[in-house]
PDB file of all heavy atoms in Angstrom:
ATOM      1  N   ALA A  72      -5.476  27.810   5.062  1.00 62.00           N
ATOM      2  CA  ALA A  72      -5.586  28.169   6.481  1.00 62.00           C
ATOM      3  C   ALA A  72      -4.332  28.625   7.189  1.00 62.00           C
ATOM      4  O   ALA A  72      -3.314  28.277   6.885  1.00 62.00           O
ATOM      5  CB  ALA A  72      -6.073  26.802   7.359  1.00 62.00           C
ATOM      6  N   GLU A  73      -4.449  29.487   8.200  1.00 65.00           N
ATOM      7  CA  GLU A  73      -3.456  29.984   9.035  1.00 65.00           C
ATOM      8  C   GLU A  73      -3.145  28.874  10.090  1.00 65.00           C
ATOM      9  O   GLU A  73      -3.984  28.482  10.928  1.00 65.00           O
ATOM     10  CB  GLU A  73      -3.809  31.241   9.619  1.00 65.00           C
ATOM     11  CG  GLU A  73      -2.646  31.953  10.383  1.00 65.00           C
ATOM     12  CD  GLU A  73      -1.612  32.418   9.401  1.00 65.00           C
ATOM     13  OE1 GLU A  73      -1.955  32.804   8.308  1.00 65.00           O
ATOM     14  OE2 GLU A  73      -0.318  32.568   9.782  1.00 65.00           O
ATOM     15  N   THR A  74      -1.912  28.452  10.004  1.00 70.00           N
ATOM     16  CA  THR A  74      -1.494  27.351  10.979  1.00 70.00           C
ATOM     17  C   THR A  74      -0.110  27.588  11.584  1.00 70.00           C
ATOM     18  O   THR A  74       0.566  28.529  10.987  1.00 70.00           O
ATOM     19  CB  THR A  74      -1.445  26.001  10.329  1.00 70.00           C
ATOM     20  OG1 THR A  74      -0.510  26.017   9.290  1.00 70.00           O
ATOM     21  CG2 THR A  74      -2.788  25.585   9.820  1.00 70.00           C
ATOM     22  N   LYS A  75       0.269  27.045  12.669  1.00 78.00           N
ATOM     23  CA  LYS A  75       1.626  27.119  13.208  1.00 78.00           C
ATOM     24  C   LYS A  75       2.587  26.412  12.357  1.00 78.00           C
ATOM     25  O   LYS A  75       3.764  26.847  12.396  1.00 78.00           O
ATOM     26  CB  LYS A  75       1.614  26.735  14.824  1.00 78.00           C
ATOM     27  CG  LYS A  75       0.724  27.624  15.632  1.00 78.00           C
ATOM     28  CD  LYS A  75       0.857  27.145  16.986  1.00 78.00           C
ATOM     29  CE  LYS A  75      -0.001  28.067  17.828  1.00 78.00           C
ATOM     30  NZ  LYS A  75      -0.026  27.605  19.250  1.00 78.00           N
ATOM     31  N   GLU A  76       2.277  25.337  11.783  1.00 83.00           N
ATOM     32  CA  GLU A  76       3.105  24.567  11.094  1.00 83.00           C
ATOM     33  C   GLU A  76       2.646  24.410   9.630  1.00 83.00           C
ATOM     34  O   GLU A  76       1.436  24.464   9.326  1.00 83.00           O
ATOM     35  CB  GLU A  76       3.215  23.007  11.572  1.00 83.00           C
ATOM     36  CG  GLU A  76       3.903  23.010  12.964  1.00 83.00           C
ATOM     37  CD  GLU A  76       3.892  21.535  13.499  1.00 83.00           C
ATOM     38  OE1 GLU A  76       3.076  20.825  13.170  1.00 83.00           O
ATOM     39  OE2 GLU A  76       4.810  21.297  14.349  1.00 83.00           O
ATOM     40  N   GLN A  77       3.614  24.444   8.673  1.00 87.00           N
ATOM     41  CA  GLN A  77       3.136  24.442   7.268  1.00 87.00           C
ATOM     42  C   GLN A  77       3.763  23.108   6.634  1.00 87.00           C
ATOM     43  O   GLN A  77       4.787  22.599   7.055  1.00 87.00           O
ATOM     44  CB  GLN A  77       3.724  25.578   6.569  1.00 87.00           C
ATOM     45  CG  GLN A  77       3.193  26.881   6.979  1.00 87.00           C
ATOM     46  CD  GLN A  77       3.679  27.420   8.263  1.00 87.00           C
ATOM     47  OE1 GLN A  77       4.840  27.250   8.669  1.00 87.00           O
ATOM     48  NE2 GLN A  77       2.917  28.113   9.086  1.00 87.00           N
ATOM     49  N   LEU A  78       3.042  22.704   5.515  1.00 90.00           N
ATOM     50  CA  LEU A  78       3.514  21.534   4.763  1.00 90.00           C
ATOM     51  C   LEU A  78       4.746  21.941   4.050  1.00 90.00           C
ATOM     52  O   LEU A  78       4.766  22.901   3.188  1.00 90.00           O
ATOM     53  CB  LEU A  78       2.502  21.109   3.828  1.00 90.00           C
ATOM     54  CG  LEU A  78       2.794  19.941   2.889  1.00 90.00           C
ATOM     55  CD1 LEU A  78       3.131  18.602   3.777  1.00 90.00           C
ATOM     56  CD2 LEU A  78       1.789  19.681   1.911  1.00 90.00           C
ATOM     57  N   GLY A  79       5.967  21.173   4.332  1.00 92.00           N
ATOM     58  CA  GLY A  79       7.183  21.629   3.784  1.00 92.00           C
ATOM     59  C   GLY A  79       7.732  20.680   2.730  1.00 92.00           C
ATOM     60  O   GLY A  79       8.689  20.960   1.954  1.00 92.00           O
ATOM     61  N   GLY A  80       7.192  19.480   2.700  1.00 95.00           N
ATOM     62  CA  GLY A  80       7.545  18.437   1.761  1.00 95.00           C
ATOM     63  C   GLY A  80       6.935  17.126   2.011  1.00 95.00           C
ATOM     64  O   GLY A  80       6.010  17.054   2.933  1.00 95.00           O
ATOM     65  N   TYR A  81       7.341  16.228   1.173  1.00 97.00           N
ATOM     66  CA  TYR A  81       6.647  14.832   1.386  1.00 97.00           C
ATOM     67  C   TYR A  81       7.500  13.757   0.680  1.00 97.00           C
ATOM     68  O   TYR A  81       8.362  13.957  -0.002  1.00 97.00           O
ATOM     69  CB  TYR A  81       5.283  14.867   0.462  1.00 97.00           C
ATOM     70  CG  TYR A  81       5.407  14.892  -1.012  1.00 97.00           C
ATOM     71  CD1 TYR A  81       5.542  13.729  -1.757  1.00 97.00           C
ATOM     72  CD2 TYR A  81       5.735  16.112  -1.503  1.00 97.00           C
ATOM     73  CE1 TYR A  81       5.738  13.767  -2.982  1.00 97.00           C
ATOM     74  CE2 TYR A  81       6.010  16.191  -2.883  1.00 97.00           C
ATOM     75  CZ  TYR A  81       5.986  15.037  -3.699  1.00 97.00           C
ATOM     76  OH  TYR A  81       6.210  15.026  -5.033  1.00 97.00           O
ATOM     77  N   TYR A  82       7.132  12.499   1.135  1.00 97.00           N
ATOM     78  CA  TYR A  82       7.717  11.258   0.590  1.00 97.00           C
ATOM     79  C   TYR A  82       6.426  10.471   0.344  1.00 97.00           C
ATOM     80  O   TYR A  82       5.567  10.329   1.126  1.00 97.00           O
ATOM     81  CB  TYR A  82       8.583  10.576   1.441  1.00 97.00           C
ATOM     82  CG  TYR A  82       9.933  11.223   1.661  1.00 97.00           C
ATOM     83  CD1 TYR A  82      10.139  12.186   2.804  1.00 97.00           C
ATOM     84  CD2 TYR A  82      11.058  10.919   0.954  1.00 97.00           C
ATOM     85  CE1 TYR A  82      11.323  12.761   2.922  1.00 97.00           C
ATOM     86  CE2 TYR A  82      12.213  11.480   1.050  1.00 97.00           C
ATOM     87  CZ  TYR A  82      12.416  12.467   2.130  1.00 97.00           C
ATOM     88  OH  TYR A  82      13.602  13.022   2.225  1.00 97.00           O
ATOM     89  N   LEU A  83       6.391   9.795  -0.897  1.00 97.00           N
ATOM     90  CA  LEU A  83       5.460   8.794  -1.239  1.00 97.00           C
ATOM     91  C   LEU A  83       6.250   7.442  -1.140  1.00 97.00           C
ATOM     92  O   LEU A  83       7.291   7.305  -1.771  1.00 97.00           O
ATOM     93  CB  LEU A  83       4.928   8.983  -2.686  1.00 97.00           C
ATOM     94  CG  LEU A  83       4.048   7.946  -3.094  1.00 97.00           C
ATOM     95  CD1 LEU A  83       2.670   7.818  -2.251  1.00 97.00           C
ATOM     96  CD2 LEU A  83       3.631   8.085  -4.612  1.00 97.00           C
ATOM     97  N   ILE A  84       5.733   6.624  -0.184  1.00 98.00           N
ATOM     98  CA  ILE A  84       6.421   5.286   0.001  1.00 98.00           C
ATOM     99  C   ILE A  84       5.362   4.314  -0.306  1.00 98.00           C
ATOM    100  O   ILE A  84       4.218   4.476  -0.136  1.00 98.00           O
ATOM    101  CB  ILE A  84       7.034   5.102   1.370  1.00 98.00           C
ATOM    102  CG1 ILE A  84       5.911   5.240   2.453  1.00 98.00           C
ATOM    103  CG2 ILE A  84       8.076   6.364   1.603  1.00 98.00           C
ATOM    104  CD1 ILE A  84       6.525   4.917   4.065  1.00 98.00           C
ATOM    105  N   GLU A  85       5.900   2.998  -0.501  1.00 98.00           N
ATOM    106  CA  GLU A  85       5.082   1.847  -0.653  1.00 98.00           C
ATOM    107  C   GLU A  85       5.539   0.654   0.284  1.00 98.00           C
ATOM    108  O   GLU A  85       6.735   0.330   0.122  1.00 98.00           O
ATOM    109  CB  GLU A  85       5.072   1.345  -2.135  1.00 98.00           C
ATOM    110  CG  GLU A  85       3.947   0.377  -2.447  1.00 98.00           C
ATOM    111  CD  GLU A  85       3.770   0.110  -3.838  1.00 98.00           C
ATOM    112  OE1 GLU A  85       4.072   1.009  -4.614  1.00 98.00           O
ATOM    113  OE2 GLU A  85       3.203  -1.043  -4.237  1.00 98.00           O
ATOM    114  N   VAL A  86       4.753   0.484   1.275  1.00 98.00           N
ATOM    115  CA  VAL A  86       5.058  -0.410   2.284  1.00 98.00           C
ATOM    116  C   VAL A  86       3.884  -1.361   2.620  1.00 98.00           C
ATOM    117  O   VAL A  86       2.810  -1.116   2.165  1.00 98.00           O
ATOM    118  CB  VAL A  86       5.539   0.208   3.579  1.00 98.00           C
ATOM    119  CG1 VAL A  86       6.850   0.954   3.298  1.00 98.00           C
ATOM    120  CG2 VAL A  86       4.621   1.114   4.004  1.00 98.00           C
ATOM    121  N   ALA A  87       4.196  -2.524   3.261  1.00 97.00           N
ATOM    122  CA  ALA A  87       2.992  -3.466   3.631  1.00 97.00           C
ATOM    123  C   ALA A  87       1.946  -2.955   4.478  1.00 97.00           C
ATOM    124  O   ALA A  87       0.885  -3.571   4.560  1.00 97.00           O
ATOM    125  CB  ALA A  87       3.717  -4.737   4.051  1.00 97.00           C
TER     126      ALA A  87
END
Side-chain angles (χ1 to χ4, degrees):
E73 188 67 32
T74 61
K75 291 182 181 181
E76 295 179 331
Q77 294 77 36
L78 178 62
Y81 70 94
Y82 287 91
L83 174 63
I84 63 171
E85 189 165 340
V86 293

